[in-house]
Amino acid sequence: MHEAAMPAYWSVIPFVLILLAIAVLPIAAEHWWHKNRNKLIVSLVLGIPVAIYLIMLGRFHDLEHQILLDYIPFVSLLGALFYISGGIVLRGDIRATPRNNVFFLATGGLLASFIGTTGASMVLIRPLLRSNSERKHVVHTVIFFIFIVSNIGGLLTPLGDPPLFLGYLRGVPFTWTFQLFPEWLFTNAVLLLVYFLWDRRAYAQESLKDIRSDVTHIEPISIKGTINIVWLIGVVLVVAFVNENYEPFRSLIQENQFYKLMQVPFLLGLIILSKWTTREEFRKANDFNLEPIIEVAVLFIGIFVTMIPALILLKVHGPELGLDTPVKFFFATGLFSSFLDNAPTYLVFLTTAQGDMTIAQFIAKDALLLAAISLGAVFMGANTYIGNAPNFMVKSIAEQTGVKMPSFGGYMLYSIGILMPVFIVVALLFLA
C-alpha cells in the first residue's frame, strides 16, 4: 500500500469558501440562503471535490474516519439532545427584567456542564425568547445566551462539551475538569455582570407600552413533558458509558474500528422513546420543528469534509507553530476552534502538547497545558456561529421567532468586542 500523500496548502480553499458562504450569503442572498436545500447544495459543491481529492491522495481513511466516526456520531448526539429537549415545555411568561434574564443565563450556564451545551440551549432558549417577546431589544440577550449557555457553561464535566468528552475517552480522568471551576466561575460571572449592565440599559430604552405588555402577560412557570428529562439522562449515560472504557463494549471495540457508531442506535432509541411518550401538543407549544437541526446537519457535512486538509496540515505542522507556553496553546486552540469544529481541534492540540507521554504523564508534567487547551476549545467555540453546533441552532430558533440576528461577521463583532478582552484576562490570571 502506498503511503498517503500530504494535501497541498491550496486544498484548504474550499473550507475557506464554505466559511465565506456562511458569512456572506445570508446578507447577499438572504431568501436563497434561507432554504436548507440550498445550504446542502453549497456543502456538496465544495465538499465533493475535496472528498475526491483526498481519495486520489490515498487518504480515504481520513475521509471515512471524519464521516463515520466524527460526523455521524456528532449529528446523532446533537439530534437526540435537540429532539428530546424539544419535548420539554417550560410554560409561563415571567417579566423580562434584567435580573430575570440573568437568572435564565446563569441557570443555563450551570445546566450546560451536566446535560451538555446543546441540551441546555434547547431546553432554555424558547422560554427565554417567550419571556422577552414583548421587548424590542432582544438580540444581545440571544448573543450572551450563545456565549454562556451554548459554550462557556459546558466546561465543568466531559459531558458538557464534545472536546472534553474526547479528552475523557483519551484518558483524562472524568473529574479532572472540575479543577477548571475557578476559570468557569470567573468567566461566567464577568459575562453575566456585563450582560446585566447592558440589559439594564436596553430595558430602560423599551417603550412604556412594551413594558406594560410585559407586566400584564405574566404567567406562572410550569414544566410539562418531564418524562423527557429521563431520556436526556439516558443520552448522558449513553455518551458516558457506551465506549471502550466499559465492558461489554471493550471486547467489541477491539474488533471494530467503527466503535463510535455503537452509540448511534442507543441515541435513536431514545429519540423514539421520546416521541412515543411525549404528547404532540408539547412540541407544538415549543413551535418545534426540525429545521434547526437539519441546518446544522447540511452545513456541517460540508464543514467536516472540507476541514480535513486543514486538520491534516495542522496536525503535521503543529509542532512548528512555536507553541511552548499555556497562553500560546490557549489562544492557538481557541483561534482554530472558532472556525474548525472545536472537538477535532482539541485533539490535534492535545496530541501536539502530549508528544510521546501518556495522558497520566502529561497531566502530571503539564497540567496547565491541558487546562489551556481545554479552555481554548470550550471558551472560544463561542467566537463564531460555527465554533460549536448549538450556536447555529440557537440562532436559527431565534430567527424563527422574529429576532433579527446579526450576520456571521456581525456576530464576530460582538464576540471580539466582548469575549476577547475577557479571554485575555483569563489568560493572564490563570495561565501566565
Side-chain angles (χ1 to χ4, degrees), residues 302-367:
I303 291 171
F304 267 68
V305 172
T306 58
M307 75 162 64
I308 296 174
L311 288 175
I312 294 171
L313 292 169
L314 181 59
K315 187 172 183 178
V316 172
H317 298 290
E320 303 170 11
L321 297 177
L323 304 177
D324 52 10
T325 67
V327 171
K328 290 181 181 179
F329 266 99
F330 172 63
F331 283 106
T333 306
L335 174 64
F336 284 99
S337 292
S338 300
F339 297 97
L340 303 173
D341 182 67
N342 58 2
T345 300
Y346 169 94
L347 284 183
V348 167
F349 282 98
L350 175 62
T351 301
T352 300
Q354 182 183 348
D356 296 328
M357 294 181 285
T358 66
I359 285 292
Q361 292 170 336
F362 176 54
I363 293 175
K365 182 177 183 294
D366 289 313

Side-chain angles (χ1 to χ4, degrees), residues 121-137:
S121 296
M122 294 304 100
V123 167
L124 290 177
I125 184 57
R126 292 182 181 89
L128 179 64
L129 291 170
R130 191 182 306 120
S131 291
N132 284 267
S133 60
E134 294 86 7
R135 290 184 54 177
K136 294 292 191 296
H137 304 286

Side-chain angles (χ1 to χ4, degrees), residues 54-306:
L54 291 168
I55 293 171
M56 292 174 62
L57 290 180
R59 288 192 171 273
F60 177 77
H61 175 73
D62 294 280
L63 182 65
E64 178 184 56
H65 184 283
Q66 188 79 335
I67 294 175
L68 294 180
L69 303 189
D70 287 329
Y71 174 75
I72 292 178
F74 171 82
V75 172
S76 299
L77 175 59
L78 292 180
L81 291 171
F82 176 79
Y83 189 83
I84 295 170
S85 61
I88 300 174
V89 182
L90 282 177
R91 284 179 169 161
D93 187 350
I94 62 176
R95 287 188 62 189
T97 63
R99 181 178 300 177
N100 287 341
N101 283 340
V102 165
F103 174 77
F104 261 113
L105 298 182
T107 300
L110 181 61
L111 282 176
S113 283
F114 300 95
I115 64 171
T117 52
T118 298
S121 296
M122 294 304 100
V123 167
L124 290 177
I125 184 57
R126 292 182 181 89
L128 179 64
L129 291 170
R130 191 182 306 120
S131 291
N132 284 267
S133 60
E134 294 86 7
R135 290 184 54 177
K136 294 292 191 296
H137 304 286
V138 182
V139 171
H140 68 286
T141 296
V142 180
I143 289 172
F144 275 87
F145 185 94
I146 294 174
F147 290 169
I148 296 170
V149 183
S150 301
N151 290 275
I152 294 168
L155 182 67
L156 291 183
T157 77
L159 303 176
D161 218 29
L164 303 181
F165 179 68
L166 292 180
Y168 166 64
L169 294 181
R170 284 290 186 95
V172 178
F174 188 90
T175 58
W176 184 86
T177 46
F178 284 119
Q179 299 180 33
L180 303 177
F181 177 78
E183 293 92 328
W184 176 89
L185 181 63
F186 172 81
T187 308
N188 280 301
V190 170
L191 289 177
L192 287 171
L193 176 60
V194 172
Y195 171 76
F196 176 76
L197 297 175
W198 189 319
D199 197 44
R200 188 170 66 173
R201 180 177 180 182
Y203 191 75
Q205 296 175 347
E206 300 287 352
S207 68
L208 184 59
K209 177 183 177 181
D210 290 334
I211 296 297
R212 286 175 177 170
S213 177
D214 185 33
V215 172
T216 56
H217 285 85
I218 292 176
E219 180 183 342
I221 294 292
S222 63
I223 184 169
K224 301 291 185 181
T226 52
I227 186 63
N228 286 287
I229 296 175
V230 175
W231 310 138
L232 281 178
I233 294 172
V235 171
V236 171
L237 293 176
V238 167
V239 173
F241 295 109
V242 182
N243 57 65
E244 71 269 30
N245 293 324
Y246 298 95
E247 292 290 358
F249 305 109
R250 185 180 292 116
S251 58
L252 293 173
I253 287 167
Q254 290 174 348
E255 302 171 1
N256 184 1
Q257 62 175 319
F258 302 121
Y259 65 89
K260 286 186 182 180
L261 292 176
M262 288 197 305
Q263 293 181 352
V264 175
F266 288 93
L267 296 172
L268 292 177
L270 290 167
I271 290 174
I272 293 171
L273 286 171
S274 175
K275 181 174 178 59
W276 282 351
T277 59
T278 306
R279 291 160 63 177
E280 189 61 30
E281 65 185 74
F282 293 160
R283 287 194 170 84
K284 288 182 178 179
N286 276 333
D287 294 323
F288 179 86
N289 61 72
L290 296 177
E291 290 300 308
I293 190 64
I294 292 174
E295 180 177 14
V296 168
V298 299
L299 281 176
F300 273 80
I301 185 60
I303 291 171
F304 267 68
V305 172
T306 58

